[in-house]
Amino acid sequence: MARAAGVLALVSALLGGAVLSATADAAIPPPSTMPVDPATCTEVPITGFGQGAGELGAGRCRWFTVTESTSYLVRASDAGNATLASAVFAGPRTLACATVWCNLGQGTYYLVATEPIDEISATVTRLNGPGCTAVDAQGFSTPIRGTFTSLGEVHCLALPEATGRYQVMPPPTGPAPLVRLVQETGTVFCDVTSVYGCAPDMPPGPVRLIVVVQDPRTTGDYLLALQRTTGENACARMTSPSTVDLTATDFVSCLDVPGVAGGSQEILTLNRIEGDGTAWLTVYDRSGNLVCQDATPAAYQLLGCRLGDVAHMVVVRSATGAGKYRISQAAGISGSCREPVSSAFGGPATPGEILPGEVHCYRVKPFTWFDLPGTEATVGYALPGGSLYTCPSLPCLMPVSEVLVTAAEPVAYRADTWAVGSDFANPVDCERITDSVAYGFGPVTGTLNADDRAHCVSFPVGYQNEFRLSVTDGITPYVINKDWSIAPCSDSGGDWSCTPGHGQGSYIVLAFVGDGSPTSFEVVADCATLLCGGVNFALLGGNEPMKLITGTKQVIEIAGVGLHERDTLWLSRNGENVTPIVVRSVTAKRDRYTAEVDLTGVEPDNYDITATSFAKPNEAGRWSYLLQVVAPQLAIATKPSIVGTVAVSATVRVNRGVWSPAPDYFEYQWTADGSPIYAAKNASYTIPPSLRGKRLAVTVTGVRQNHRSNTAATTATTVGYGATPRATKAPRILGTIKAGKTVRPSVGAWSPTPSAFRYEWRVSGKLVATSRSLKLKKAWAGKKLTLVVIAKRTGHLDGRATTKAVKVKK
């Protein structure tokens, strides 16, 4: 038995699936006017139930007369009894009906095959006519059998129930008749064209099943299973387990399933124990609703239903062959869930033993890797609301917290329950690869053993990425996709090919699973599809281009995305390659080159970088103005300085320092407190008084042909006071030194020249006046008179000189 039983889902739709019978209801759009001349039509009688159709005759048109307004079967068929697309007209320009089931009033009508054909046979039968045979509405226990004896024959089967929902099933093989569920009043109510039967609630009134023989059979036996799915049924009581035998003639059976208090999740299993057939399960509630079913027939099925505390009907239908099937029921699954031994990725397995029909439940973390290595068992999981799914293959990533295990045969198993989580960018217990995977990744290394059988890594992928893996022997790699699928990588003779199942901007998890024996492993991955990880090759520049010096070899760094050591780079200008840029190394994140460029003979200018990706050699690109090549700059070995005393009235000059190579000439700019001094652009400078207390400096710029200029400033120095004025000729007192007389000063001679003088007159050393002249008082007679002359100059300290003392006369 295959490990995958197919996806089982709770289906709410009641119509769809395999076609039970073919009709011409909408095969070809009918014309709005008759495609033939009414005069060419031949008459056909209205036939009753159990009667054959009209003889095969020439032409594609028949006419008939309706005397009772009701519903009719109006069918055209060919020589092989195939139902033809047809239409019924009330006149040449009046379309009355476009299907084989028509509500018609009194009058004359024309049946026309809408495709050109040489001969047709016609059947016109009143659906509420006499001759209906009573049948049991519990046909899942006793199928309906009938025999057609003539071409186009129509049977009517009267059902004992007047309302509700019905299910009609044909045998799994052989031709099927055309069937329609109607009311005795003539209302055509439901076309039974699928394995799921009629879904509408029938209104009050007798119900009939119309059965019409059609292609490829003209006569012979037919078999139908008709069941009223509403209300009580005649099905055998379900025990767990129950057995059902299905053959070509007993092709369907049913079981009455009691409700379970509390409305818990229920699991139904179908297991073929004899024969070679396949079958499927279908479950109806007492209102006739299809509550769950398995759309894929199999020898073993797992079906999940939330049945609640009301009774249901389980239908077992043969699909192929014959066989005996065991039907088992398990209720209250959630209450029996148990914890696994370990949830760590690669952790120890959980042992278990299971018998046919049993269901084991494990409560795991959502998005858990689940596997039963080496075991033929079926694994499913329950979603909130009652839906049940089985894993299409193992291992499987479980999106929910309840995992179910069942088997067709007694099985001892060991369950791996490794938590992954829904955030694949940061999975549980998995290593995250932070380096770029544009060209692959690795090596990833580690050690596996019986208690740690697997290792996992997370990394980004792009659309249709593929990785080739070199993996240590005994290790099997798997891809865990964001759609919950787990796919083993393909072994390609020593290497493995891993293809993620989703696209741009997603993360996947790659798992490396050992066999339980102690193993040291190494995994190296190469990108097999150009660039991986959802990246595109690109170079990135800053706001300002990088400056390189012509005539030199320089090592530079270039930022980008998806870079490789074997990318080809050129320094280019105006679309022409000038000199190669040699890649020396690339960071692990593939986001930065270290490269070398030889600028010998390269002219100063703005340059582009022309780059060709190793992964995409036919897609070269040019990135503008990433580099600026400039002339070499003059070097300053010793910075300039100011020579001389930095003081008012002093003249200072510049020591230009040591430059390499020697400049052709220099430019100067003297500054005070950092601001340029107007017109102070010489190598020397005489400091004016206005700069007293400010910080004086000079900026020196060296200039040389084919070189970039360079500039250096001296250390700023505070401007001090200028030299103190000194008397080169002593001052004297002029006038008669006698009481009552006025005297005045003679200031003498000074250097530097003062800008102003002050005076202090002293008698016997005591200050008596500061005026320029002095009238001598009588009280000073006989005392010594002196004069102190104070010389003042802006930006200089004051100078002082004292006259000789003279005696004041009376």
Side-chain angles (χ1 to χ4, degrees):
M1 184 187 70
R3 298 179 68 188
V7 177
L8 303 178
L10 180 63
V11 177
S12 58
L14 297 181
L15 291 176
V19 174
L20 174 66
S21 58
T23 71
D25 285 2
I28 298 176
S32 58
T33 59
M34 287 182 61
V36 297
D37 183 355
T40 63
C41 301
T42 57
E43 183 179 10
V44 64
I46 295 178
T47 58
F49 296 125
Q51 300 176 357
E55 295 293 331
L56 190 69
R60 57 172 174 150
C61 177
R62 303 289 185 268
W63 68 271
F64 57 93
T65 301
V66 170
T67 59
E68 181 179 344
S69 299
T70 185
S71 296
Y72 291 81
L73 164 69
V74 186
R75 175 177 175 265
S77 56
D78 61 13
N81 197 31
T83 301
L84 299 173
S86 62
V88 177
F89 294 87
R93 293 178 176 80
T94 306
L95 178 66
C97 181
T99 71
V100 299
W101 312 97
C102 298
N103 293 323
L104 303 176
Q106 295 180 354
T108 299
Y109 294 90
Y110 302 87
L111 168 64
V112 181
T114 53
E115 289 184 277
I117 190 170
D118 294 334
E119 294 182 316
I120 69 168
S121 175
T123 303
V124 182
T125 302
R126 182 161 55 90
L127 299 182
N128 65 347
C132 211
T133 303
V135 294
D136 189 359
Q138 300 294 324
F140 286 168
S141 301
T142 306
I144 298 171
R145 303 174 187 273
T147 301
F148 293 116
T149 59
S150 59
L151 176 71
E153 189 173 344
V154 182
H155 288 184
C156 177
L157 306 177
L159 306 180
E161 305 291 344
T163 60
R165 297 184 178 184
Y166 292 84
Q167 168 69 286
V168 181
M169 290 183 180
T173 58
L178 178 67
V179 294
R180 176 67 66 121
L181 200 64
V182 302
Q183 289 186 286
E184 193 174 276
T185 58
T187 302
V188 178
F189 197 84
C190 183
D191 183 13
V192 186
T193 57
S194 81
V195 297
Y196 305 119
C198 289
D201 291 318
M202 300 294 288
V207 179
R208 295 179 167 193
L209 184 68
I210 307 301
V211 185
V212 184
V213 65
Q214 64 170 0
D215 175 52
R217 178 177 50 190
T218 57
T219 62
D221 297 334
Y222 65 87
L223 191 63
L224 290 174
L226 182 146
Q227 178 74 37
R228 183 172 182 268
T229 56
T230 304
E232 299 296 325
N233 55 64
C235 304
R237 187 73 167 181
M238 171 79 174
T239 59
S240 188
S242 294
T243 57
V244 171
D245 287 301
L246 298 180
T247 64
T249 55
D250 293 320
F251 61 90
V252 63
S253 185
C254 61
L255 299 167
D256 188 61
V257 181
V260 177
S264 65
Q265 174 77 38
E266 304 205 25
I267 305 299
L268 300 174
T269 58
L270 175 144
N271 182 25
R272 186 187 67 207
I273 55 178
E274 292 182 9
D276 61 356
T278 59
W280 60 66
L281 293 175
T282 309
V283 181
Y284 296 87
D285 63 17
R286 284 292 189 261
S287 297
N289 298 309
L290 175 65
V291 296
C292 54
Q293 57 90 28
D294 188 339
T296 305
Y300 184 84
Q301 288 185 343
L302 176 68
L303 184 63
C305 294
R306 195 169 294 278
L307 302 183
D309 55 4
V310 297
H312 286 71
M313 178 174 62
V314 174
V315 178
V316 188
R317 183 188 179 193
S318 176
T320 58
K324 176 181 286 188
Y325 298 89
R326 179 189 294 117
I327 316 300
S328 300
Q329 176 189 19
I333 302 300
S334 295
S336 65
C337 265
R338 48 186 163 168
E339 300 291 332
V341 170
S342 173
S343 63
F345 200 90
T350 301
E353 294 185 6
I354 194 167
L355 297 175
E358 285 186 343
V359 178
H360 290 182
C361 178
Y362 291 97
R363 183 165 287 108
V364 298
K365 296 179 180 180
F367 298 95
T368 284
W369 167 300
F370 197 93
D371 194 13
L372 303 172
T375 302
E376 294 292 338
T378 298
V379 174
Y381 54 90
L383 293 178
S387 301
L388 180 72
Y389 289 80
T390 56
C391 291
S393 62
L394 290 176
C396 183
L397 194 67
M398 297 294 174
V400 295
S401 58
E402 293 183 1
V403 183
L404 310 176
V405 179
T406 186
E409 302 293 337
V411 169
Y413 62 83
R414 296 181 63 81
D416 293 329
T417 53
W418 303 335
V420 176
S422 60
D423 183 4
F424 279 27
N426 296 283
V428 179
D429 289 338
C430 289
E431 175 185 352
R432 182 178 180 182
I433 295 177
T434 57
D435 292 339
S436 170
V437 298
Y439 292 94
F441 59 86
V444 176
T445 60
T447 301
L448 303 179
N449 52 51
D451 292 328
D452 186 8
R453 288 183 35 239
H455 182 80
C456 54
V457 295
S458 165
F459 55 91
V461 295
Y463 182 65
Q464 292 185 339
N465 281 178
E466 180 182 347
F467 293 87
R468 291 195 182 96
L469 269 60
S470 172
V471 183
T472 302
D473 290 345
I475 305 296
T476 302
Y478 292 82
V479 175
I480 307 177
N481 291 304
K482 205 60 180 291
D483 62 1
W484 309 343
S485 64
I486 299 177
C489 298
S490 301
D491 187 356
S492 54
D495 288 337
W496 296 81
S497 176
C498 301
T499 304
H502 51 279
Q504 190 84 4
S506 299
Y507 275 78
I508 64 164
V509 174
L510 202 61
F512 314 118
V513 182
D515 57 9
S517 59
T519 303
S520 294
F521 71 89
E522 178 179 275
V523 178
V524 176
D526 292 319
C527 176
T529 49
L530 301 180
L531 291 168
C532 288
V535 302
N536 291 308
F537 173 72
L539 298 186
L540 307 174
N543 294 328
E544 296 292 334
M546 288 182 286
K547 288 187 177 180
L548 306 180
I549 300 173
T550 185
T552 64
K553 288 184 179 181
Q554 290 192 241
V555 175
I556 60 176
E557 289 190 346
I558 305 173
V561 179
L563 309 182
H564 193 276
E565 293 87 345
R566 294 171 67 182
D567 295 340
T568 303
L569 278 70
W570 284 82
L571 192 72
S572 63
R573 181 175 60 177
N574 300 325
E576 296 292 331
N577 292 339
V578 175
T579 190
I581 301 174
V582 181
V583 176
R584 297 304 186 194
S585 64
V586 176
T587 60
K589 292 183 179 296
R590 302 285 178 182
D591 63 353
R592 190 171 296 274
Y593 297 115
T594 297
E596 185 178 71
V597 57
D598 186 349
L599 299 172
T600 302
V602 176
E603 298 177 356
D605 202 348
N606 289 323
Y607 286 85
D608 307 329
I609 294 180
T610 299
T612 302
S613 170
F614 167 70
K616 299 180 178 181
N618 297 323
E619 297 183 18
R622 185 171 70 251
W623 286 265
S624 299
Y625 302 115
L626 289 185
L627 296 174
Q628 185 181 57
V629 177
V630 297
Q633 189 175 41
L634 293 174
I636 302 171
T638 303
K639 65 181 294 187
S641 60
I642 296 175
V643 178
T645 301
V646 182
V648 173
S649 299
T651 298
V652 291
R653 61 182 179 83
V654 177
N655 177 354
R656 295 174 299 197
V658 179
W659 297 67
S660 178
D664 294 336
Y665 62 90
F666 292 94
E667 295 175 347
Y668 309 95
Q669 176 63 64
W670 293 87
T671 62
D673 287 346
S675 298
I677 302 171
Y678 177 72
K681 297 179 179 292
N682 296 320
S684 62
Y685 179 62
T686 301
I687 303 172
S690 60
L691 297 189
R692 168 68 187 92
K694 295 186 177 181
R695 295 180 63 78
L696 182 71
V698 60
T699 299
V700 180
T701 300
V703 180
R704 182 183 174 94
Q705 188 176 8
N706 297 325
H707 286 71
R708 285 180 295 134
S709 300
N710 205 349
T711 298
T714 65
T715 302
T717 304
T718 301
V719 176
Y721 287 99
T724 302
R726 297 184 180 277
T728 59
K729 181 179 180 182
R732 294 180 297 111
I733 300 173
L734 300 178
T736 302
I737 313 301
K738 183 178 181 180
K741 298 295 183 177
T742 300
V743 294
R744 65 183 185 278
S746 170
V747 297
W750 297 77
S751 178
T753 303
S755 56
F757 294 96
R758 284 196 312 109
Y759 307 96
E760 294 180 355
W761 296 93
R762 296 180 180 274
V763 176
S764 296
K766 181 179 179 181
L767 179 64
V768 295
T770 59
S771 58
R772 186 174 184 279
S773 62
L774 176 68
K775 186 177 182 179
L776 301 176
K777 297 180 180 181
K778 291 181 179 181
W780 297 340
K783 295 182 179 180
K784 298 291 187 179
L785 174 67
T786 59
L787 171 64
V788 178
V789 177
I790 303 170
K792 302 184 71 65
R793 182 182 174 92
T794 304
H796 294 247
L797 296 173
D798 294 346
R800 303 173 71 89
T802 305
T803 65
K804 292 181 179 181
V806 294
K807 187 175 181 180
V808 180
K809 298 178 180 179
K810 292 184 180 180

